[in-house]
Structure formats: C-alpha cells, structure tokens
Amino acid sequence: RFVRSKTLPNNIYFDSLVASHISERIFKGNEYIYFFPGGQTENAYIYLSDQKQNIYTIRLYSLSGKVEVYNSFIEPEEEEEE
C-alpha cells in the first residue's frame, strides 16, 4: 500500500539528508531513502529546519524501521544499529 505524499508546513523545510548509500550529506537535488518489504529501511538522518534556523533530526534505523525525532542536530553515526 502506498502512502500519499504530504507537504511540510510553510515554516518548515528540508535542510539535508544522510543515508547509508550516500557518501556525504546532501543539501540539494533529489535523493531517496530505500525501504524494503520486510519493514526494514536503510540507516538515514533527515534534517528539517524552521525559519529561525532551528534544526530537527529524524533518525531512521535500518533493521527495525524504528524512527526517533530530535529537536536538535544529531551527528550521523557510523553504520551502527540499535
């Protein structure tokens, strides 16, 4: 089943992305986070920002598909699983 796309509120925007298959942090362009049929995904960090330049981090864990949200910038870890 596919999820419909959502639009971020006007005061929130994508800052950058780090994912397992990318060698460096991406600030522009199109990139993907891969999800697999068993519920797994790749390790990824999605960085959101607001108009006051506050950074929020969405952390995806590969094996479990677990998601954590932080109200600060979280530095990516080396391919370490929970």
Side-chain angles (χ1 to χ4, degrees):
R1 188 170 125 189
F2 292 98
V3 177
R4 293 178 191 219
S5 65
K6 302 287 182 183
T7 303
L8 291 173
N10 289 336
N11 59 342
I12 301 290
Y13 63 92
F14 286 102
D15 178 77
S16 56
L17 169 72
V18 175
S20 296
H21 74 275
I22 305 169
S23 60
E24 58 187 49
R25 196 167 159 199
I26 300 294
F27 292 91
K28 290 182 178 182
N30 295 320
E31 193 51 73
Y32 301 93
I33 298 172
Y34 297 106
F35 292 85
F36 305 100
Q40 301 92 352
T41 183
E42 62 182 319
N43 285 320
Y45 295 79
I46 302 167
Y47 298 102
L48 303 176
S49 184
D50 63 16
Q51 293 174 339
K52 296 179 181 178
Q53 301 301 311
N54 295 314
I55 297 285
Y56 304 91
T57 304
I58 301 171
R59 167 74 167 103
L60 291 107
Y61 290 88
S62 61
L63 294 178
S64 65
K66 176 181 165 184
V67 175
E68 292 179 336
V69 179
Y70 302 91
N71 62 353
S72 62
F73 179 86
I74 302 298
E75 192 70 42
E77 299 173 5
E78 293 296 317
E79 291 296 312
E80 183 179 309
E81 188 57 41
E82 70 266 43

